[in-house]
Amino acid sequence: MNPNLNLFFCLLFTLCSMYQCRDVGEAQKANLISSACDRTLYKDLCRQTLQSDPESRAATDIGVLAKVALQHALSQAKQIQGQLSKQNDKSVAFKDCNENYDGASERLQDSVTSFKSKKYSDVLTWVSAAMSNSDSCEDGLKEMGKASPILGLSTTFSQLCSIVLALTNQLAGH
C-alpha cells in the first residue's frame, strides 16, 4: 500500500476520533446539567438557566452548576432591587420589599463566600434566609393588594433559590 495513503488514513482516523471524543464530552456535560436539574423542583428553569450560561455548559462537576445557579439568583435579587428603586410607590409594602431584597442580596453574597470555602451547610442556611426575605416581600405586596411586576420576578427568584438549594444538597451529599 502507498505510504502516503497510509498516512492519509491515519490522519483521517485521528481526526474522526478527536471529533467523536469532543461530541462525547459535550454530551456528558449536557447530561450533567440534565441529571442535576432532574433532582430539582423547577427542572425547566434549571435547565434553561444552566444551559444558557457558558460556565455551566463547560462544567465537569455539580459544584460549578451550583455556583452558576447561585450567581443567577444573586443577579435576580439585584434586578428586583433595581425594579423596586424605580417604583414611585412609597407605600410600606414597597419600602419593606426594598429592605427584604437588600437582606436577600446580602444573604446570597454570604452564600457566595461560604460556597468558595466549601461550607455548604452555611450556603443552605443563607439561601433559605434569602428565600424568606423574598416571601416576606411577596406577602406584603399581596396583603396590600398591589399588582406589581415584582411578584413575577420574585417568583423566579424563589425558584432559582430552590434550585441552588437542590444543587448544593446534591453537592453536599444530602
Side-chain angles (χ1 to χ4, degrees):
M1 188 177 229
N2 183 339
N4 289 335
L5 196 55
N6 283 340
L7 181 60
F8 171 76
F9 283 119
C10 185
L11 286 172
L12 183 63
F13 177 75
T14 302
L15 287 173
C16 287
S17 296
M18 286 173 36
Y19 282 113
Q20 186 177 10
C21 289
R22 190 189 72 177
D23 291 344
V24 168
E26 293 301 317
Q28 287 173 337
K29 290 173 185 175
N31 286 340
L32 176 64
I33 291 173
S34 255
S35 66
C37 289
D38 281 347
R39 294 183 232 152
T40 68
L41 292 176
Y42 305 101
K43 295 166 183 49
D44 291 338
L45 178 62
C46 180
R47 283 188 190 96
Q48 176 188 353
T49 301
L50 296 178
Q51 289 173 346
S52 71
D53 191 287
E55 187 176 356
S56 61
R57 284 195 315 263
T60 57
D61 65 72
I62 199 156
V64 174
L65 301 181
K67 184 182 79 161
V68 168
L70 180 57
Q71 291 166 340
H72 280 269
L74 180 56
S75 176
Q76 183 77 6
K78 290 180 180 183
Q79 181 182 356
I80 293 170
Q81 285 180 287
Q83 289 292 321
L84 286 167
S85 69
K86 293 178 187 175
Q87 299 291 322
N88 290 329
D89 191 324
K90 301 299 178 199
S91 68
V92 171
F94 274 97
K95 287 180 185 176
D96 286 348
C97 270
N98 208 2
E99 289 176 19
N100 282 319
Y101 272 97
D102 280 343
S105 291
E106 288 175 19
R107 298 302 75 78
L108 291 178
Q109 201 57 56
D110 292 337
S111 296
V112 169
T113 302
S114 295
F115 195 89
K116 288 177 183 174
S117 302
K118 298 184 188 239
K119 296 179 180 175
Y120 301 124
S121 62
D122 290 350
V123 173
L124 298 173
T125 300
W126 293 126
V127 173
S128 295
M131 285 178 78
S132 292
N133 286 54
S134 172
D135 291 345
S136 295
C137 173
E138 284 183 39
D139 291 345
L141 290 176
K142 287 176 184 173
E143 282 178 23
M144 299 290 290
K146 301 281 183 181
S148 170
I150 301 301
L151 288 174
L153 294 172
S154 187
T155 298
T156 302
F157 172 76
S158 292
Q159 291 173 349
L160 285 169
C161 286
S162 173
I163 291 165
V164 172
L165 292 173
L167 294 176
T168 303
N169 270 323
Q170 290 177 51
L171 184 61
H174 292 130

